[in-house]
Amino acid sequence: MRIRRFLIPVGVGLFFLASALVALNLTSAQPGTDGPVIVTSHPAANLQLTVTLNHGRLILGRALTVQVELTNTGTEPVTLQPDGVCTTPLRLELHDASGRIVWSQPVPMIACPQQQPPAYRKLALLNPGETRPAATCFELAGTPDQCVVLDLPSASYWVAGTYYGFTLPQAAFRIAR
């Protein structure tokens, strides 16, 4: 009987540990594999920010697609940073294993006024249950696709950046030449 009293709490503890691992997205593929890499964060109350890589390994002839989704999981609308003529909501950068930025999304080469007229600012409102997606892709050699061509050595990297001002959870991938 004494063992039985011990096994029930251990079983419940294992169940909660497994649930926590699933919540941390440890079920997605690891960097360097062909399965998708999915990381999620909650940058603010009622918001979920998800970064999905279509696979964890960038190789010649196959693009790496970065899909970003911001979802309102609450019951009230959420106001996001307004878009402007000179800003884009998704700003990506790539980090190497030491945390150094090895690629950053270029800033558009246009002159932007310090104070934009109200007509140029679009209020971004995210309603309950609504998702705002954005995507970009990377490749190792130029093809007819509209992907960013990377000239980085074989190694592990992390996709980072911001979306509507919220910090993206870092998604790891590997370049294999």
Side-chain angles (χ1 to χ4, degrees):
M1 292 294 186
R2 187 168 228 208
I3 291 175
R4 191 172 175 175
R5 276 192 252 150
F6 175 72
L7 288 178
I8 291 173
V10 169
V12 171
L14 287 174
F15 170 77
F16 284 114
L17 177 61
S19 299
L21 291 176
V22 169
L24 289 173
N25 290 312
L26 296 178
T27 57
S28 66
Q30 296 301 313
T33 65
D34 288 329
V37 176
I38 303 168
V39 291
T40 301
S41 68
H42 297 276
N46 301 325
L47 287 179
Q48 178 176 305
L49 186 54
T50 302
V51 175
T52 303
L53 307 180
N54 60 335
H55 50 82
R57 186 169 55 134
L58 177 56
I59 60 174
L60 192 61
R62 184 174 68 179
L64 176 73
T65 302
V66 179
Q67 176 74 33
V68 178
E69 293 182 342
L70 183 63
T71 303
N72 182 343
T73 58
T75 58
E76 298 291 326
V78 175
T79 303
L80 303 176
Q81 286 185 357
D83 291 343
V85 169
C86 299
T87 62
T88 58
L90 180 61
R91 300 281 307 148
L92 292 179
E93 53 190 35
L94 301 178
H95 295 240
D96 65 8
S98 67
R100 184 175 56 102
I101 297 173
V102 295
W103 179 88
S104 182
Q105 188 172 358
V107 176
M109 295 189 62
I110 57 175
C112 297
Q114 291 293 355
Q115 292 287 4
Q116 294 178 0
Y120 287 127
R121 297 174 65 91
K122 295 181 269 176
L123 183 63
L125 194 61
L126 193 60
N127 292 310
E130 185 180 1
T131 296
R132 287 278 166 93
T136 194
C137 61
F138 297 98
E139 60 187 354
L140 294 177
T143 63
D145 296 337
Q146 296 298 317
C147 296
V148 174
V149 177
L150 296 177
D151 186 22
L152 296 171
S154 294
S156 292
Y157 298 93
W158 285 264
V159 174
T162 60
Y163 190 46
Y164 284 102
F166 297 109
T167 301
L168 296 176
Q170 292 188 356
F173 71 98
R174 179 154 184 77
I175 292 180
R177 291 188 183 266

